[in-house]
Amino acid sequence: MGKIAILAEKPSQARAYADAFKIKQKEKVFIELEPCSTFPKGAVITWAVGHLVELKEPKEYQKEWEKWSLGSLPIIPQKFEDKVVSKMYTQFNAVKKIFSDPQVTMIYNCCDSEREGSNSATRF
């Protein structure tokens, strides 16, 4: 098994997880843990800061959907698409880089367990 990546819901949750281990490095967007019996190759904890990705607005699918009217409802795109939340690009790219690291062989999703906290539709 290689290095483990852990995705927390928010920075305070990530710090709480990291407090149980010896910290190798702390950065603005992640905390790296020293190798130990739990994580023999080490681990890196990052966070989602709530929502990193959201559904596109109706107007981003079709210009006609910019102004809503009863006649245009229901607004149902052919395929739902998502986008990175504009002020979350830095954190999103940090998470993407960590998840793409070839040394990372397993990712733990430690976000909220309900539907909203799941990452089932997110692609990095």
Side-chain angles (χ1 to χ4, degrees):
M1 184 187 310
K3 187 185 265 188
I4 304 296
I6 301 167
L7 180 65
E9 183 75 18
K10 52 192 170 192
S12 61
Q13 184 184 33
R15 286 190 299 273
Y17 293 157
D19 284 347
F21 301 94
K22 188 173 180 185
I23 296 172
K24 180 177 181 179
Q25 178 182 2
K26 248 184 192 179
E27 295 292 332
K28 184 178 178 184
V29 294
F30 69 87
I31 301 169
E32 187 171 2
L33 305 177
E34 290 280 354
C36 61
S37 60
T38 307
F39 305 115
K41 301 282 184 174
V44 61
I45 305 172
T46 190
W47 43 87
V49 197
H51 294 238
L52 295 177
V53 178
E54 64 188 3
L55 287 174
K56 287 184 175 181
E57 293 289 327
K59 64 184 177 186
E60 295 174 274
Y61 291 98
Q62 293 183 24
K63 187 165 177 57
E64 306 84 53
W65 290 345
E66 189 167 4
K67 291 187 179 186
W68 294 20
S69 69
L70 287 176
S72 66
L73 295 177
I75 295 175
I76 303 173
Q78 291 278 9
K79 178 183 171 205
F80 284 94
E81 298 175 13
D82 49 36
K83 65 178 181 177
V84 177
V85 176
S86 60
K87 58 185 176 177
M88 297 297 173
Y89 275 102
T90 300
Q91 189 63 32
F92 176 86
N93 286 327
V95 172
K96 182 177 178 179
K97 183 178 179 183
I98 290 165
F99 285 7
S100 301
D101 182 341
Q103 293 181 346
V104 170
T105 58
M106 187 172 294
I107 299 168
Y108 293 162
N109 176 8
C110 297
C111 296
D112 293 343
S113 60
E114 82 279 355
R115 183 176 172 200
E116 185 183 19
S118 74
N119 66 351
S120 60
T122 303
R123 296 168 306 281
F124 288 95

